[in-house]
Amino acid sequence: MSIEPAAAVPVLLLSVRDEYAGRRWAPPGHHWPGQPSAVGGLDLVAGGTWLAVEPGGAGAPGPVAACLLNGFGTLAPEEGRLSRGELPLLAVRGGRIDELDLDRYDPFHLVVVGPAGAQVLSWGGSGGRLTGLELPTGLSVILNDGPEGLAESRTTSERIRALMAARAAHFRTRFAAEPRPRPRPGTATAEEAWGGWLPIVTGDGLAFDDTAALVQRREFGDGRLWGSSSISLLAFGDGGVRYDFAAVPVEPGGGEGWRRVEL
């Protein structure tokens, strides 16, 4: 996440979705008849999404996006548990997350983004409390351990913590070293819009199993493969919101595999 209030495009969001391989999904589209203006990828298992965008207009809030990350902490009771995938859709239509029965949701971090900035809502699980943090100007990294890895409830796995720290350190340095792009809602390709950030976004040449990999494939010993399934880039400015999307794997050096999502 990059926030520069004085810039022509003040808010930029990169979201990499990591999930178990084999969990079926559909690319971004208008998937919810009850919320027809919302756009996002569809989780075909639970029916929700990991990232929703509401372009605004016609009485709807927006432009606004909401991006979901799984958190660590106390899981909700199996009986009565609700899918976290409904939370981005609720957030982009102006719903109040703090008014939900959060004990029915597993831990999460929900990044709510608009042209004026971004807020992260963090929930550590049953019996905990919902916290909110306004992200500061500059580059911010939101992990499964929360903003900058400093959530109240964090992983107990040293391996996972080390992987997240290596990823954050490598890519913070790489993004800071490149000129900040100015993506517009117009017709430019992803490569033209995102410039030197695009090769970084697609993995920066690191192997899928590198300790610092952003686009990753890993085994954690339970017989299942965990890894990145898609990458989303969003830019908020005076002209509205621009949304570029690519399924993984994607061409590492440039714009092949990217498409602009119509909002």
Side-chain angles (χ1 to χ4, degrees), residues 54-233:
E54 173 58 68
V64 62
C67 178
L68 177 72
L69 292 84
N70 294 346
F72 295 102
T74 305
L75 299 180
E78 186 171 348
E79 182 178 352
R81 177 182 292 154
L82 297 175
S83 171
R84 291 168 289 191
E86 68 183 36
L87 299 175
L89 292 165
L90 174 64
V92 299
R93 67 173 181 262
R96 293 285 301 271
I97 303 300
D98 59 342
E99 293 180 351
L100 299 174
D101 179 4
L102 289 174
D103 283 337
R104 301 182 68 185
Y105 296 89
D106 287 343
F108 64 83
H109 305 287
L110 187 67
V111 188
V112 184
V113 188
Q119 180 186 41
V120 183
L121 301 173
S122 296
W123 168 246
S126 181
R129 68 188 186 102
L130 183 71
T131 62
L133 175 69
E134 296 289 336
L135 293 181
T137 296
L139 283 170
S140 294
V141 179
I142 301 93
L143 306 162
N144 298 104
D145 264 353
E148 309 300 341
L150 298 175
E152 291 182 354
S153 182
R154 300 191 288 274
T155 181
T156 58
S157 167
E158 292 297 330
R159 179 190 177 191
I160 294 175
R161 185 171 296 176
L163 290 171
M164 289 191 293
R167 173 193 268 193
H170 177 91
F171 284 92
R172 180 191 301 280
T173 300
R174 292 290 291 118
F175 284 121
E178 287 289 330
R180 190 177 187 272
R182 295 187 295 174
R184 300 289 191 175
T187 58
T189 66
E191 193 168 14
E192 293 168 332
W194 294 93
W197 277 26
L198 202 64
I200 304 173
V201 165
T202 54
D204 203 30
L206 300 180
F208 286 154
D209 61 352
D210 190 285
T211 301
L214 178 67
V215 180
Q216 59 179 316
R217 294 282 188 278
R218 305 194 189 278
E219 294 184 12
F220 288 104
D222 61 358
R224 295 183 293 172
L225 183 66
W226 173 267
S228 306
S229 59
S230 66
I231 308 170
S232 297
L233 288 166

Side-chain angles (χ1 to χ4, degrees), residues 232-253:
S232 297
L233 288 166
L234 280 79
F236 290 81
D238 291 340
V241 57
R242 178 190 175 105
Y243 185 0
D244 291 284
F245 176 86
V248 173
V250 61
E251 178 64 37

